[in-house]
Amino acid sequence: MAVENVSAIFKMYCLTVMTMVAATYTVALRYTRTISTGDMYYATTAVCLAEVIKLVLSLGMLTKETGSFSRLKSALMEHIFCSPKELLKLSVPSVVYAIQNNMAFLALSNLDAAVYQVTYQLKIPCTALCMVLMLNRSLNRLQWFSVFMLCGGVSLVQWKPVEATKVQVEQNPFVGFVAIAIAVLCSGFAGVYFEKVLKSSDTSLWVRNIQMYLSGIVITLIGVFLNDGNKVLENGFFFGYTHWVYFVVLLASVGGLYTSVVVKYTDNIMKGFSAAAAIVLSTVASVLLFGLHITIPFASGALLVCVSIYLYGLPKSETMRTTRQDSDAESKQKLINV
């Protein structure tokens, strides 16, 4: 997808907001699961509520895109109520994203925000592998090198897990790492699957989002009652909710939608800088809020991950490859003409 020409100020705005949302969401979620006082809320209800908010926001964006209520109604009738196959198609990423979001809560209940932020970058090689298998994309040598470097950096971070002195709840780093592993697998597959669906037709992004979030609400509601059904019936859906929990839900809702908009105006290098900056901010916040002790393996691993993200996002020599393909095509055509 080509990046539109916009001002440097707007690109910096996009970079800043994307970085702050990613870092703040991770730190705030960690805070609500480990430090925040009071009754613990049910993570499944937070995931479900985020899906509802995403649906409302997508409806608002589709209303703006269509320009009138009558056009909105016809779009919903055509793509939602009269397209059960499309809803079924989008239920696949809905299930996967539901698992991913629940795994994020489990991971941040057992791992520090900085460790999570670094380890979660494994989504890059996972996404790359899915793109190669599902979209027939190719990676250059530098990108493959950066993938292995990233894996090495994450291994260093996980080699000797750092400790946070201000966290009083019981934690299991192994459970946290397994949760992240599942989350990155889900992120890679669902992201590439959704991209493939988007590019298979000219249907609006917001229509696709609505189709996905409708399925997501049903799936996450099933998850609520399978995991916390009796507790929710006894204590209520919003049991344990504080203003911090609502803030986390809002960040989860806005962050997912905002990322899809930001991709339109930024490039891979800016997204790489954003991810690296989010790691730094999460680390600083973890030191201040959770008493995180920085170790040499963690610092070295985090540095390797940041460098690998930058290298992976460097512009690929698409021009050279396209020119070579065009040249081969011309040669074949000449042979055919002869």
Side-chain angles (χ1 to χ4, degrees):
M1 181 182 296
V3 177
E4 293 190 5
N5 293 323
V6 293
S7 67
I9 296 177
F10 183 75
K11 286 187 177 182
M12 286 303 299
Y13 162 77
C14 291
L15 175 65
T16 302
V17 173
M18 186 165 58
T19 303
M20 293 303 297
V21 168
T24 307
Y25 170 72
T26 303
V27 175
L29 199 161
R30 172 68 172 173
Y31 178 82
T32 63
R33 303 302 290 178
T34 58
I35 301 294
S36 184
T37 58
D39 297 316
M40 181 59 67
Y41 63 99
Y42 309 125
T44 52
T45 62
V47 173
C48 182
L49 183 60
E51 293 296 304
V52 174
I53 296 175
K54 289 177 185 178
L55 176 62
V56 173
L57 292 175
S58 295
L59 281 170
M61 295 303 298
L62 183 60
T63 303
K64 182 179 179 181
E65 184 177 84
T66 53
S68 67
F69 181 76
S70 60
R71 291 178 181 174
L72 172 66
K73 183 180 177 181
S74 62
L76 292 177
M77 288 297 296
E78 178 184 356
H79 297 289
I80 307 298
F81 298 104
C82 298
S83 302
K85 289 185 179 180
E86 294 300 310
L87 286 174
L88 186 61
K89 185 190 297 183
L90 270 297
S91 67
V92 175
S94 297
V95 173
V96 180
Y97 276 132
I99 296 172
Q100 175 196 335
N101 293 332
N102 279 285
M103 287 300 103
F105 278 84
L106 180 59
L108 283 165
S109 298
N110 291 279
L111 292 175
D112 185 81
V115 176
Y116 171 88
Q117 195 71 261
V118 174
T119 310
Y120 191 64
Q121 301 310 314
L122 284 173
K123 65 182 180 181
I124 294 176
C126 183
T127 302
L129 182 60
C130 288
M131 289 173 65
V132 170
L133 296 176
M134 297 171 63
L135 299 179
N136 295 321
R137 301 277 180 84
S138 62
L139 302 180
N140 58 29
R141 292 180 181 178
L142 182 60
Q143 287 177 314
W144 281 117
F145 174 75
S146 65
V147 164
F148 287 110
M149 180 189 290
L150 189 148
C151 293
V154 171
S155 299
L156 276 176
V157 169
Q158 292 293 335
W159 177 44
K160 188 177 180 181
V162 293
E163 295 183 356
T165 58
K166 296 181 182 180
V167 175
Q168 303 300 325
V169 298
E170 184 179 352
Q171 301 177 97
N172 188 330
F174 177 75
V175 172
F177 179 74
V178 171
I180 290 185
I182 296 173
V184 298
L185 288 172
C186 291
S187 175
F189 172 78
V192 175
Y193 181 95
F194 189 57
E195 179 183 346
K196 190 172 184 178
V197 171
L198 281 177
K199 293 185 176 181
S200 65
S201 68
D202 295 328
T203 306
S204 166
L205 168 65
W206 302 113
V207 168
R208 290 302 191 189
N209 279 338
I210 290 170
Q211 291 171 336
M212 186 166 62
Y213 297 143
L214 280 172
S215 302
I217 291 172
V218 175
I219 292 162
T220 52
L221 274 175
I222 293 173
V224 168
F225 287 101
L226 286 178
N227 290 283
D228 302 304
N230 294 331
K231 297 177 183 177
V232 169
L233 290 175
E234 180 181 352
N235 301 315
F237 189 89
F238 297 100
F239 176 77
Y241 273 58
T242 64
H243 61 281
W244 282 110
V245 178
Y246 286 111
F247 182 56
V248 167
V249 172
L250 180 64
L251 286 175
S253 306
V254 175
L257 292 175
Y258 192 82
T259 300
S260 63
V261 177
V262 167
V263 168
K264 184 177 181 180
Y265 297 106
T266 62
D267 53 27
N268 284 327
I269 296 179
M270 291 190 70
K271 286 184 285 183
F273 276 121
S274 174
I279 291 174
V280 174
L281 290 176
S282 298
T283 302
V284 173
S286 295
V287 171
L288 298 176
L289 294 175
F290 310 119
L292 179 71
H293 288 167
I294 302 298
T295 62
I296 293 178
F298 174 84
S300 303
L303 180 61
L304 279 177
V305 169
C306 292
V307 173
S308 66
I309 293 171
Y310 170 75
L311 293 177
Y312 184 86
L314 286 176
K316 195 175 180 181
S317 55
E318 291 289 342
T319 305
M320 293 177 60
R321 189 172 67 175
T322 303
T323 303
R324 191 180 299 116
Q325 290 175 346
D326 290 343
S327 177
D328 292 341
E330 290 177 3
S331 299
K332 290 180 180 178
Q333 187 61 42
K334 289 178 179 178
L335 288 173
I336 292 173
N337 292 337
V338 171

